[in-house]
């Protein structure tokens, strides 16, 4: 019986490892395939798209960078960093106010903020375009920054509020007894205690802002404020026959997000479990 039990555990362990290996291949293979084809010539790509490059052409990355990817990366990095930073600050303050401060109509404000989760961006496109054109924000960096921030705040508040609800209120009382103001309590106590959910929302917002396509396509007209997803689509239209250059641009677009997720994965899972599972 002991031998059979050990054998059963071994079979289950082997099956689990086999499943994990298969999943890893399914997830990683598209990225590896894209990198391989970014290092080929056009002829090699069409001859055998699944073979290794005969002689890696690293200049494909330099060509893609010169053809606009550098400008697209700069715009996307600036927009992603600023939008994420503003979203995190506003959402953290809002979540703190909705969970730790007794204010009139607290539940009403909570419902109003979270109602933003129900607003689909596609539904608001036409009125937003008209409004931004009238305000002079259409086809501008500031206009995209406002859109990216406004549409990410409800979801970020939702996660932060769920996390802060379970933080012990005794720390607020202790800080108040020590003479700390609301602002000091927020910055020195609540914010550090909420770091797991903050890192989680940072990763989610960075991924969303970096890959966002709809707003960047509709609210820009190619006058220097193109983000990376829109710029890559434009690069593809200009280099329809130079697919290795297009793949090189795609690799440069995907690499930062893959690195970010692997670096922050432990904090990401911990914060997401704490914010949603509690």
């Amino acid at each position: 019986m002991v031998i059979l039990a050990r054998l059963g555990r071994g079979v289950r362990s082997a099956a689990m490892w086999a499943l994990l290996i298969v999943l890893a291949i399914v997830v990683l293979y598209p990225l590896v395939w894209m990198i391989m084809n970014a290092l080929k010539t056009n002829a090699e790509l069409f001859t055998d798209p699944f073979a290794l490059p005969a002689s890696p052409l690293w200049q494909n990355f330099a060509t893609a960078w010169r053809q606009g990817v550098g400008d697209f990366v700069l715009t996307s990095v600036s927009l992603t960093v600023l939008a994420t930073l503003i979203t995190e600050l506003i959402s953290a303050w809002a979540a703190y106010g909705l969970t730790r401060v007794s204010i009139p109509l607290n539940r009403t404000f909570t419902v109003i903020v979270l109602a933003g989760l129900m607003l689909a961006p596609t539904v608001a496109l036409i009125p937003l375009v008209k409004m931004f054109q009238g305000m002079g924000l259409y086809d501008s960096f500031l206009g995209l920054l406002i859109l990216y921030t406004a549409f990410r705040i409800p979801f970020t508040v939702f996660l932060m509020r769920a996390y802060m609800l379970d933080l012990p209120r005794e720390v607020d009382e202790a800080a108040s007894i020590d003479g700390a103001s609301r602002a000091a309590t927020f910055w020195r106590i609540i914010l550090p205690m909420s770091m797991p959910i903050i890192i989680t929302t940072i990763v989610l917002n960075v991924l969303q802002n970096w890959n966002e396509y709809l707003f960047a396509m509709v609210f820009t007209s190619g006058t220097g404020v193109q983000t990376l997803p829109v710029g890559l689509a434009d690069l593809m239209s200009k280099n329809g026959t130079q697919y290795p250059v297009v793949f090189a641009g795609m690799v440069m677009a995907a690499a930062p997000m893959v690195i970010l997720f692997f670096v922050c994965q432990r904090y990401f899972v911990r914060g997401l479990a704490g914010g949603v599972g509690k």
Side-chain angles (χ1 to χ4, degrees):
M1 294 298 294
V2 175
I3 296 176
L4 290 177
R6 290 180 178 177
L7 181 62
R9 286 196 298 269
V11 171
R12 288 195 296 270
S13 178
M16 180 61 68
W17 276 106
L19 177 61
L20 291 175
I21 291 173
V22 171
L23 289 176
I25 293 174
V26 170
V27 172
L28 294 177
Y29 182 75
L31 182 60
V32 174
W33 181 83
M34 190 166 58
I35 294 173
M36 288 193 310
N37 285 306
L39 298 172
K40 294 180 179 179
T41 63
N42 238 13
E44 287 179 319
L45 191 151
F46 282 104
T47 300
D48 190 353
F50 300 100
L52 293 172
S55 179
L57 297 177
W58 297 101
Q59 58 265 35
N60 287 338
F61 289 90
T63 301
W65 188 269
R66 288 194 303 268
Q67 292 188 3
V69 172
D71 295 330
F72 306 149
V73 168
L74 179 61
T75 301
S76 286
V77 168
S78 303
L79 189 60
T80 298
V81 170
L82 287 175
T84 301
L85 179 61
I86 296 172
T87 300
E88 293 295 319
L89 288 175
I90 294 176
S91 301
W93 267 113
Y96 177 74
L98 293 173
T99 57
R100 324 295 291 189
V101 181
S102 297
I103 58 176
L105 303 177
N106 189 298
R107 291 184 178 275
T108 303
F109 284 122
T110 301
V111 171
I112 292 174
V113 172
L114 299 184
L117 291 170
M118 304 177 189
L119 179 62
T122 51
V123 175
L125 276 182
I126 294 178
L128 281 174
V129 168
K130 293 293 184 181
M131 183 176 69
F132 273 51
Q133 287 175 339
M135 298 172 63
L137 294 173
Y138 185 81
D139 196 22
S140 69
F141 184 88
L142 179 59
L144 286 179
L145 181 60
I146 293 173
L147 289 170
Y148 282 23
T149 302
F151 277 86
R152 294 303 297 171
I153 285 177
F155 181 70
T156 308
V157 171
F158 169 73
L159 291 180
M160 288 188 174
R161 176 181 175 274
Y163 193 92
M164 289 185 185
L165 280 173
D166 282 322
L167 295 180
R169 293 188 175 272
E170 288 78 6
V171 296
D172 300 69
E173 297 172 1
S176 178
I177 292 173
D178 290 339
S181 63
R182 288 287 187 185
T185 302
F186 171 75
W187 287 107
R188 297 180 182 180
I189 299 176
I190 300 300
L191 211 59
M193 292 178 66
S194 303
M195 198 53 63
I197 194 63
I198 290 174
I199 294 176
T200 298
T201 53
I202 285 176
V203 173
L204 291 173
N205 287 329
V206 166
L207 288 172
Q208 174 65 27
N209 293 333
W210 185 263
N211 295 316
E212 201 284 325
Y213 182 79
L214 181 63
F215 285 150
M217 179 187 66
V218 174
F219 288 85
T220 61
S221 57
T223 57
V225 290
Q226 282 184 318
T227 61
L228 197 53
V230 176
L232 286 176
D234 186 57
L235 182 68
M236 186 177 298
S237 65
K238 291 179 181 178
N239 296 274
T241 59
Q242 295 297 322
Y243 289 105
V245 176
V246 176
F247 281 127
M250 292 179 178
V251 171
M252 287 188 281
M257 297 300 102
V258 174
I259 295 172
L260 174 68
F261 184 79
F262 275 106
V263 169
C264 301
Q265 60 176 327
R266 181 179 13 170
Y267 303 100
F268 175 81
V269 174
R270 178 184 170 191
L272 194 61
V276 178
K278 289 184 178 180

